[in-house]
Amino acid sequence: MKNNVLFVFSCLLTFVSAYGKVTLPGWMTSNMVLQQQSELKLKASASPGATVELLTSWNRKTTKTVAAADGTFTMTINVPKAGGPYYLKFSDGEATVIENVMIGEVWFCSGQSNMEMPVKGWGKVKNYEQEVRDANYPLIRLFQVKQVTAFTPQTDVPYGHTNGWAVCTPESVEEFSATAYFFARTVSQKLGIAVGVVNSSWGGTPAETWTSHEALKTVTGFEEQLSRIEQTDFQAEKIQALYESDNAAWKALFYEKDKGLSDSDINKPLWASADFDDSTWKTMTLPTYWDNDYEPGFDGVVWFRRDVDIPESLAGKDLTIHFGPIDDEDVTYWNGVKVAEGWGYNQPRTQTVPGNLVKPGRNVITVRVTDNGGEGGIAGNPEQMNINNTISLAGNWKYQKSVNLVEMPQQPASPSSSWYPSSCYNAMVAPFLDMPIKGVLWYQGCANVGRDVQYESLFQTLIHDWKNRFGNTPPFYFVQLANYLQTLPLQPHSQWAALREAQRKALQIDGTGMMVNIDLGEAGDIHPKNKQEVGRRLARLVLSRTYQQKEGGCAPEFASMTVSGQKAILSFSKPVGAENLSANDDIHGFSIAGPDHKWHVAKAYTQGTAENTTVVVSSPEVKVPVAVRYGWADNPDCTLATPGGFHVSPFRTDDW
């Protein structure tokens, strides 16, 4: 009898939980910001057939509707001008109240790690301790989206650490996007109203994971893959089987191209044997990312070798090897025998060498490192590299490049990874499409470096798709990639420059804007710390374009080139919000080429009036100017800017 009573009571609780109260979309919580002067077409659920009432405190009016047989209902809410705090009271017999609601401006922020980068946490922006202490802004509201993926578009909103909307405080801002926060701070202070920012970002993700399946299958290079995915009917087991088959074929080709392997077998390394002659190999001082000083921009496989002197006391005993983080994958060999594998660009490695492989005196340790994009190498601190915490492995290692990923087809993305096509869009964007927003902020591109031709179409497709799906075609503002890696005077084949150009071409879409970031990067850090300036420039761009503020928000853009004798004369257009160029008689960042297509560092200076400034570019080595480039390198030194600190975007006049 007791068990029956408990069973009935449990069923009653389940019924009440499912039907006894209005259930709202996950993005609709207390402390939220509603987009001012918008029409919110709310989709929610209540008791089947119940009359649902909504009382909005800003006008003290009640709106009624009736839930369908399945409990769903829709309701249109006309949101007034900025103000608050307000509350919304829903009831189908039991009240659901959303409290401390502000009406203001809502911005959806997305991208990869430089958008994700928190004020404190792993990011630690410039002066982060003071920034956190000062972050008491009741008019700023934060929504952190949990990093999850899905094979099909979802409606459930994944909560991050803010568990819905949170008022901006030192506690809530620590792990929140620095770029989004600093943007919101500037806009809120300038407009004097509430600003809500949704942070839906994930480090290391390429643009294709943020693009809907329907849109992505129209992009050249993705048609076949997405057609095959469709044939699985989006069933997890079939998708996994498809991936395993494709990845096995890719790995076979990958190993076949690796000169360090025998018979394309990862367990048969030619370059790891103790008697292999590495005298012609280069030397790298570890720990470091090889992009910094040794192999800028290289993605692929690098083999590392080092002799280790083992004392008699450790011979025949198991050894523990410690490395800092290895970016991205690694295989470790001891005297030619594979002893460990590792994955994860941010994970330190701890590996075991069986005692039967350990001999006294000279031993050889070899590490095969695969970098799939961005930084690559054995990183961390010197103290993290050792054997048994006593024998240091920091210092000089011999190294040799093997497979260059540029020569490989793109590796299939694991269905469980954040790289899988459309998976982040499905889980982290689709649930918000019914939420009225003012616009989108986007900071991404590093994961697509090396695929600039494809990115040009992919990025523009993503923008069109998001603008259409969010409704009311909201403006889409994006951050161009910052300067990064080694500074070189001439770098005509820079992949980072090519990706920046692909980003800039998206400005042909109506309602877009680009924040130029070419002076804020750091050679040795793909996550530059001055996110305050990124947020400020984004805010100024948005304030001038979307909110029609008279303050400048960007620099002029290259328009045309004419040639006069040995000089190239560059003209610039002034989009909405553009400041005049600063006078400058020694502009850095220009290169010039003649009919032979050979590039030379150029002299450049401004001339003309403040309202109609041109730039004169020349070089004594170029008698007949044919083409000019500006900022065309991974990490260029660029000084063409405005008094407000807004920089001209890198550009080129050629298509070589």
Side-chain angles (χ1 to χ4, degrees):
M1 181 66 178
K2 180 179 179 181
N3 289 338
N4 288 338
V5 171
L6 288 174
F7 173 75
V8 172
F9 182 65
S10 175
C11 290
L12 286 173
L13 286 177
T14 301
F15 179 81
V16 169
S17 173
Y19 299 109
K21 196 174 183 179
V22 172
T23 301
L24 300 171
W27 50 262
M28 200 168 191
T29 73
S30 292
N31 303 316
M32 76 176 300
V33 177
L34 279 173
Q35 176 58 44
Q36 68 168 328
Q37 298 179 294
S38 67
E39 185 179 76
L40 168 56
K41 295 180 179 179
L42 178 65
K43 299 175 184 178
S45 62
S47 302
T51 297
V52 180
E53 297 183 351
L54 165 62
L55 172 64
T56 48
S57 71
W58 56 77
N59 57 9
R60 303 300 301 172
K61 290 185 178 180
T62 299
T63 304
K64 295 183 180 181
T65 191
V66 177
D70 62 356
T72 60
F73 70 89
T74 59
M75 185 178 286
T76 299
I77 304 172
N78 293 309
V79 184
K81 291 183 178 180
Y86 300 113
Y87 67 85
L88 293 83
K89 182 179 180 181
F90 295 85
S91 178
D92 67 346
E94 184 177 352
T96 298
V97 182
I98 305 298
E99 300 176 307
N100 194 25
V101 174
M102 301 300 296
I103 295 177
E105 300 293 88
V106 180
W107 287 85
F108 191 84
C109 310
S110 189
Q112 56 181 113
S113 54
N114 273 297
M115 179 61 81
E116 176 190 344
M117 183 174 170
V119 177
K120 188 181 177 182
W122 64 263
K124 293 182 175 56
V125 302
K126 185 178 72 172
N127 197 29
Y128 72 92
E129 292 168 319
Q130 186 65 45
E131 293 287 9
V132 169
R133 283 196 296 269
D134 292 344
N136 284 296
Y137 294 99
L139 287 180
I140 298 176
R141 306 297 172 87
L142 315 172
F143 192 112
Q144 177 65 51
V145 182
K146 185 178 181 181
Q147 295 176 337
V148 292
T149 61
F151 296 137
T152 56
Q154 303 296 295
T155 56
D156 290 341
V157 172
Y159 289 152
H161 69 270
T162 56
N163 198 28
W165 288 95
V167 178
C168 180
T169 65
E171 292 74 27
S172 62
V173 85
E174 283 189 353
E175 298 296 329
F176 196 78
S177 163
T179 293
Y181 163 62
F182 292 129
F183 165 86
R185 186 174 70 181
T186 301
V187 173
S188 179
Q189 290 175 340
K190 182 64 178 178
L191 300 181
I193 62 176
V195 174
V197 278
V198 177
N199 176 29
S200 181
S201 56
W202 197 332
T205 50
E208 56 264 31
T209 193
W210 296 101
T211 309
S212 73
H213 181 93
E214 292 78 11
L216 188 59
K217 68 181 181 181
T218 68
V219 179
T220 299
F222 292 98
E223 309 98 325
E224 180 182 355
Q225 181 185 11
L226 268 67
S227 175
R228 296 176 69 209
I229 292 173
E230 287 179 354
Q231 293 172 19
T232 69
D233 199 27
F234 302 98
Q235 297 179 33
E237 298 82 1
K238 292 182 179 180
I239 286 177
Q240 181 64 29
L242 178 64
Y243 160 72
E244 290 176 358
S245 173
D246 289 348
N247 197 50
W250 187 91
K251 280 196 170 183
L253 178 61
F254 187 50
Y255 292 153
E256 180 182 328
K257 288 181 174 291
D258 194 332
K259 299 176 183 177
L261 300 176
S262 174
D263 301 324
S264 303
D265 189 340
I266 197 72
N267 297 304
K268 296 180 179 179
L270 291 174
W271 289 357
S273 63
D275 56 357
F276 176 77
D277 181 8
D278 59 15
S279 60
T280 61
W281 286 22
K282 299 179 182 178
T283 300
M284 187 182 303
T285 302
L286 299 179
T288 190
Y289 290 116
W290 62 61
D291 304 79
N292 293 344
D293 299 304
Y294 298 94
E295 300 294 338
F298 178 78
D299 298 325
V301 176
V302 174
W303 289 74
F304 294 92
R305 283 174 56 92
R306 179 186 171 113
D307 289 357
V308 181
D309 187 42
I310 298 298
E312 287 281 355
S313 60
L314 294 180
K317 297 180 180 179
D318 290 356
L319 302 178
T320 301
I321 301 176
H322 298 282
F323 289 114
I326 299 181
D327 194 345
D328 294 289
E329 304 174 11
D330 53 283
V331 181
T332 300
Y333 303 88
W334 187 273
N335 291 330
V337 179
K338 180 176 143 183
V339 295
E341 292 183 86
W343 300 268
Y345 69 94
N346 59 352
Q347 300 297 320
R349 310 293 202 260
T350 299
Q351 306 166 344
T352 300
V353 180
N356 65 298
L357 299 178
V358 181
K359 61 183 182 180
R362 177 180 179 266
N363 290 254
V364 178
I365 182 171
T366 308
V367 186
R368 178 185 185 269
V369 177
T370 303
D371 171 41
N372 298 313
E375 298 166 313
I378 301 176
N381 301 315
E383 296 76 19
Q384 292 177 284
M385 296 185 63
N386 62 76
I387 297 174
N388 286 10
N389 295 314
T390 58
I391 302 174
S392 176
L393 294 177
N396 291 335
W397 287 64
K398 290 294 190 70
Y399 81 95
Q400 178 67 46
K401 293 188 295 184
S402 181
V403 185
N404 190 332
L405 287 185
V406 173
E407 303 168 357
M408 287 285 298
Q410 187 177 348
Q411 183 176 11
S414 168
S416 61
S417 76
S418 58
W419 279 59
Y420 199 72
S422 305
S423 61
C424 287
Y425 168 84
N426 290 333
M428 299 174 65
V429 179
F432 293 90
L433 295 179
D434 289 330
M435 180 184 73
I437 63 172
K438 188 65 175 182
V440 173
L441 303 179
W442 176 264
Y443 193 168
Q444 187 275 338
C446 299
N448 291 90
V449 169
R451 293 190 284 141
D452 51 282
V453 174
Q454 182 186 69
Y455 192 82
E456 179 181 337
S457 300
L458 172 59
F459 186 37
Q460 293 185 39
T461 299
L462 181 151
I463 294 172
H464 279 293
D465 193 43
W466 280 32
K467 287 169 73 72
N468 291 333
R469 291 179 184 274
F470 270 108
N472 299 321
T473 57
F476 192 108
Y477 295 94
F478 56 94
V479 181
Q480 193 178 44
L481 291 183
N483 49 309
Y484 174 55
L485 301 174
Q486 183 180 1
T487 298
L488 299 172
L490 291 171
Q491 196 177 4
H493 302 295
S494 166
Q495 293 183 353
W496 283 76
L499 199 285
R500 293 186 193 108
E501 181 180 63
Q503 291 176 311
R504 185 171 59 84
K505 288 181 178 180
L507 290 175
Q508 68 186 4
I509 302 174
D510 188 41
T512 59
M514 182 178 74
M515 180 241 136
V516 178
N517 200 21
I518 198 61
D519 62 313
L520 298 178
E522 299 176 24
D525 192 346
I526 203 170
H527 305 116
K529 304 301 184 184
N530 189 3
K531 289 298 186 284
Q532 290 92 332
E533 182 63 8
V534 176
R536 184 193 77 88
R537 291 186 194 176
L538 262 178
R540 288 281 296 273
L541 180 62
V542 168
L543 285 166
S544 65
R545 298 277 182 89
T546 296
Y547 298 108
Q548 290 80 51
Q549 299 288 309
K550 293 184 179 180
E551 296 181 45
C554 61
E557 298 173 356
F558 168 72
S560 62
M561 182 181 87
T562 59
V563 176
S564 177
Q566 291 184 223
K567 297 177 180 179
I569 315 297
L570 308 181
S571 298
F572 296 81
S573 62
K574 293 180 64 178
V576 175
E579 295 183 338
N580 295 322
L581 287 171
S582 298
N584 191 336
D585 60 4
D586 184 22
I587 304 170
H588 298 181
F590 276 100
S591 57
I592 191 168
D596 59 1
H597 289 198
K598 293 181 179 180
W599 292 98
H600 302 271
V601 175
K603 297 181 182 295
Y605 58 90
T606 58
Q607 68 175 15
T609 65
E611 290 295 330
N612 186 25
T613 303
T614 58
V615 174
V616 181
V617 184
S618 64
S619 169
E621 287 85 6
V622 178
K623 306 302 181 183
V624 180
V626 173
V628 167
R629 291 183 178 184
Y630 173 69
W632 199 268
D634 297 344
N635 188 3
D637 176 19
C638 296
T639 62
L640 185 59
T642 73
F646 302 107
H647 281 247
V648 170
S649 168
F651 63 87
R652 60 176 173 171
T653 66
D654 65 282
D655 60 358
W656 304 339

